[in-house]
Amino acid sequence: MRRSEILRGRLILLAIWAVLIGAPYWMPAIGGYTALGTRVLVLGLAAMSLNFLLGFTGVLSFGHAAYFGLGAYGAGLTLKLLAASTPLALLLGTLLGGIAGALLGALIVRRRGVYFAMVTIAFGQVFYFIAFRWNALTGGDDGLRGFARQPLHLGPVTIDILNNAEAFYYFVLACFAVVTAVMAFLLRSPFGHTLLAIRENERRARFLGIPVERHIWLAFTLSCFFISLAGALYAMLNNFADPRGLHYALSGDLVIMAVMGGMRSFWGPLLGAVVFVVLQDYLSSITTNWQSFIGLLFVLVVMFFPRGLLGFLQRRKAAA
Amino acid sequence: MSLLDIRRVSKNFGSLVAVRDVSMTVESGELRAVIGPNGAGKTTFFNLISGLFRPSAGSIAFDGEDVTGVPAHRRVARGMARTFQITEIFPEISVLENVRISAEVAAGYRLRPWLGRRAAAEIRQRVEKILGLTGLVAKADRLVGELSHGDQRAAEIAMALALRPRLLLLDEPTAGMGDQETYEIAALIRRLHRDNKYTIVLIEHDMRVVFNLADRITVLDQGRLLAEGPPAAIAQNPAVQAAYLGEAA
């Protein structure tokens, strides 16, 4: 890669982090609020987790909300029933979704294409109905209530992420930074390269001696761990978890974010989440038909920028 | 001991016998061409060698070990690498990345979440050497899918080389190419053989390529072994001439 490209990449990275770190300060100036920024981060992380599988392994899961929702319920139930600890809730929520993903993934990875997507939806809906029906534990359709994220105790310092929206934003941003760093690190490793190989040409990958199913399973499992961490953060953002967090409609929203933002680029799904969440927030206060507008935008993006918004921007710069 | 020792292999597809009772041995350092008119069973024979098909009868030994029942992707680890007739590459990543994936897998790093500095440097050196060998240095950062047909084939050969093969299997390396590209690929194959001592078995339809390159030629016709020998002898062989004339007529 040429030196100018590397420099440009670093500048873009710097700009992204500057925007994210400064968000609580510049957002109110353009009519935003901190909790909206937190929501963007959480759903952006979820879309990036999904895209680890979709964009970098070439496998489409249409049931990833299941693991997002399991992370949310895992965190909520930990806070409600086990212990008033934010780190523990985060850990147990992530483990619940991640382990479920690892077990089900083993059954799913032999399927390909549409069949893979269908099986992921089916398993996802199983969890949706469990959460919907198991009133005693999950609160059923009303959702899981009666828990709240807890202040962080770091030795002598206590950070009140419960009442201070900015503090919680930075807590979520720290989690976001760790997970995206792990993703970027993995994608640059030999293991990450095998995932690209599988995306590009599964048959050839097999002939290099890569056990394709095992590697897809690993990518699926990792992606489930990442997204269930996002789900756990989501439950703590709202102090609430409900079955819609498991529903395939949310899986579809995440796919829309990834594709709209650009699934071949690392940061694309985050941009998709920004557009999706901000539009949703703005439009839903004007009309109940907000989904039609997002749908229309999605169609336009797919028709005119098949590589997504970020893919389009990168292409244009590369051509210039 | 021969590097590759094929004994009386046959392959049936139902009642069709695609390869019948063919034996062939390839010595280390040899460049062997397998030719034959259309429908001679060349591709089937090639797939038996690379392990894509399992023979209906007969045995295949590689470096003294029986590999008859070893599937293709495991033969790679034993030192057999192949290219495909329809170019099989990773189109939307760069040439360098294509070769690097091969090199990393061959080094046993496929599950590594990171590489130490020394391992990464070794991989880089190996990739650079192979890119140099295959004449792709200037195109290292290009997406493989955007290259010309000839360069794509060179990239595929580079990927196969990165697997550190002791036997390189090339399936019609000049298929679908113009004269200039054919010449370049033939020159590449000659370099790999003469200068770098690779053992190569190639299937080829283009007779000119074969007679200029190969140490020995194996001729198949209608699934059977028709003749084997050095190019000069094969060119004079009346049975071979008849088989090819029969095709032309």
Side-chain angles (χ1 to χ4, degrees), chain B residues 83-196:
Chain B
T83 63
F84 290 82
Q85 200 178 116
I86 302 158
T87 306
E88 294 259 8
I89 37 148
F90 304 131
E92 291 206 18
I93 55 179
S94 73
V95 175
L96 185 140
E97 287 170 313
N98 268 266
V99 179
R100 189 174 61 192
I101 289 169
S102 278
E104 286 172 345
V105 171
Y109 296 156
R110 67 180 169 79
L111 283 173
R112 290 275 189 99
W114 65 83
L115 277 189
R117 192 168 291 191
R118 188 192 291 175
E122 275 169 19
I123 292 285
R124 201 176 313 123
Q125 276 172 11
R126 173 121 192 97
V127 170
E128 276 167 13
K129 189 176 158 214
I130 288 166
L131 290 176
L133 208 58
T134 46
L136 290 168
V137 172
K139 290 157 186 153
D141 290 333
R142 299 265 306 274
L143 300 185
V144 180
E146 293 174 350
L147 297 181
S148 71
H149 193 62
D151 284 338
Q152 286 191 2
R153 192 59 57 88
E156 220 210 308
I157 291 174
M159 282 174 76
L161 293 178
L163 293 170
R164 297 182 171 277
R166 285 179 293 156
L167 174 64
L168 188 60
L169 302 167
L170 305 176
D171 188 2
E172 299 213 16
T174 67
M177 287 185 187
D179 284 348
Q180 178 62 26
E181 286 179 326
T182 299
Y183 171 78
E184 281 167 14
I185 289 290
L188 167 60
I189 294 169
R190 182 175 292 117
R191 271 205 310 280
L192 294 177
H193 172 53
R194 291 221 180 124
D195 305 344
N196 299 280

Side-chain angles (χ1 to χ4, degrees), chain A residues 20-28 32-38 41 149 159-174 237:
Chain A
L20 290 179
I21 290 171
Y25 299 98
W26 59 259
M27 276 182 57
Y33 51 98
T34 304
L36 183 67
T38 316
L41 273 189
R149 59 182 185 262
I159 304 171
D160 186 11
I161 58 171
L162 176 56
N163 297 308
N164 183 337
E166 280 76 31
F168 184 62
Y169 175 86
Y170 285 112
F171 173 68
V172 171
L173 185 61
L237 167 65

Side-chain angles (χ1 to χ4, degrees), chain A residues 279-308:
Chain A
L279 268 185
Q280 180 187 34
D281 186 70
Y282 179 66
L283 291 173
S284 62
S285 65
I286 301 172
T287 166
T288 50
N289 279 328
W290 60 271
Q291 282 175 313
S292 317
F293 291 95
I294 289 185
L296 184 67
L297 178 66
F298 180 59
V299 170
L300 291 175
V301 168
V302 170
M303 280 175 69
F304 295 107
F305 316 125
R307 293 178 152 265

Side-chain angles (χ1 to χ4, degrees), chain A residues 180-227:
Chain A
T180 51
V182 170
M183 274 190 227
F185 190 73
L186 284 174
L187 288 174
R188 280 161 190 237
S189 73
F191 171 69
H193 297 154
T194 67
L195 299 183
L196 284 188
I198 292 168
R199 176 192 85 188
E200 289 293 308
N201 188 336
E202 188 181 321
R203 179 180 146 90
R204 190 70 178 106
R206 211 177 285 282
F207 271 98
L208 291 183
I210 299 169
V212 171
E213 272 78 24
R214 214 176 305 160
H215 283 231
I216 293 179
W217 176 77
L218 275 169
F220 186 85
T221 301
L222 284 165
S223 152
C224 288
F225 270 100
F226 299 148
I227 203 170

Side-chain angles (χ1 to χ4, degrees), chain A:
Chain A
M1 210 186 288
R2 271 153 288 168
R3 195 162 285 177
S4 63
E5 283 175 41
I6 294 172
L7 188 69
R8 209 188 70 204
R10 289 201 178 141
L11 283 176
I12 291 172
L13 200 62
L14 207 65
I16 290 172
W17 284 107
V19 166
L20 290 179
I21 290 171
Y25 299 98
W26 59 259
M27 276 182 57
I30 56 164
Y33 51 98
T34 304
L36 183 67
T38 316
R39 206 175 136 77
V40 166
L41 273 189
V42 170
L43 288 172
L45 181 60
M48 286 174 78
S49 308
L50 172 73
N51 200 49
F52 186 78
L53 197 61
L54 174 63
F56 295 101
T57 317
V59 175
L60 172 58
S61 164
F62 243 111
H64 250 46
Y67 312 101
F68 183 81
L70 281 175
Y73 275 99
L77 289 170
T78 303
L79 285 167
K80 191 176 178 182
L81 305 174
L82 281 180
S85 160
T86 294
L88 188 70
L90 201 59
L91 178 72
L92 292 185
T94 306
L95 284 178
L96 181 67
I99 290 170
L103 296 175
L104 294 178
L107 303 173
I108 298 173
V109 292
R110 292 199 170 272
R111 303 283 164 270
R112 285 293 178 281
V114 175
Y115 302 99
F116 187 97
M118 295 304 288
V119 177
T120 54
I121 294 180
F123 280 125
Q125 289 305 89
V126 169
F127 289 112
Y128 171 76
F129 283 110
I130 290 174
F132 195 83
R133 289 284 179 191
W134 197 354
N135 275 314
L137 184 70
T138 64
D141 193 24
D142 294 335
L144 184 69
R145 294 168 190 282
F147 68 87
R149 59 182 185 262
Q150 296 296 313
L152 284 179
H153 303 287
L154 304 169
V157 188
T158 296
I159 304 171
D160 186 11
I161 58 171
L162 176 56
N163 297 308
N164 183 337
E166 280 76 31
F168 184 62
Y169 175 86
Y170 285 112
F171 173 68
V172 171
L173 185 61
C175 296
F176 177 87
V178 170
V179 177
T180 51
V182 170
M183 274 190 227
F185 190 73
L186 284 174
L187 288 174
R188 280 161 190 237
S189 73
F191 171 69
H193 297 154
T194 67
L195 299 183
L196 284 188
I198 292 168
R199 176 192 85 188
E200 289 293 308
N201 188 336
E202 188 181 321
R203 179 180 146 90
R204 190 70 178 106
R206 211 177 285 282
F207 271 98
L208 291 183
I210 299 169
V212 171
E213 272 78 24
R214 214 176 305 160
H215 283 231
I216 293 179
W217 176 77
L218 275 169
F220 186 85
T221 301
L222 284 165
S223 152
C224 288
F225 270 100
F226 299 148
I227 203 170
S228 50
L229 191 140
L233 290 171
Y234 196 63
M236 291 195 269
L237 167 65
N238 302 318
N239 291 322
F240 176 62
D242 80 338
R244 278 180 291 282
L246 292 154
H247 195 266
Y248 75 82
L250 178 63
S251 301
D253 289 349
L254 295 175
V255 173
I256 288 178
M257 290 176 208
V259 173
M260 194 157 68
M263 61 180 187
R264 287 295 162 87
S265 47
F266 186 74
W267 297 103
L270 180 64
L271 181 64
V274 170
V275 172
F276 191 101
V277 172
V278 172
L279 268 185
Q280 180 187 34
D281 186 70
Y282 179 66
L283 291 173
S284 62
S285 65
I286 301 172
T287 166
T288 50
N289 279 328
W290 60 271
Q291 282 175 313
S292 317
F293 291 95
I294 289 185
L296 184 67
L297 178 66
F298 180 59
V299 170
L300 291 175
V301 168
V302 170
M303 280 175 69
F304 295 107
F305 316 125
R307 293 178 152 265
L309 296 171
L310 204 59
F312 172 70
L313 293 175
Q314 284 171 344
R315 260 292 149 102
R316 221 174 43 166
K317 263 190 200 142

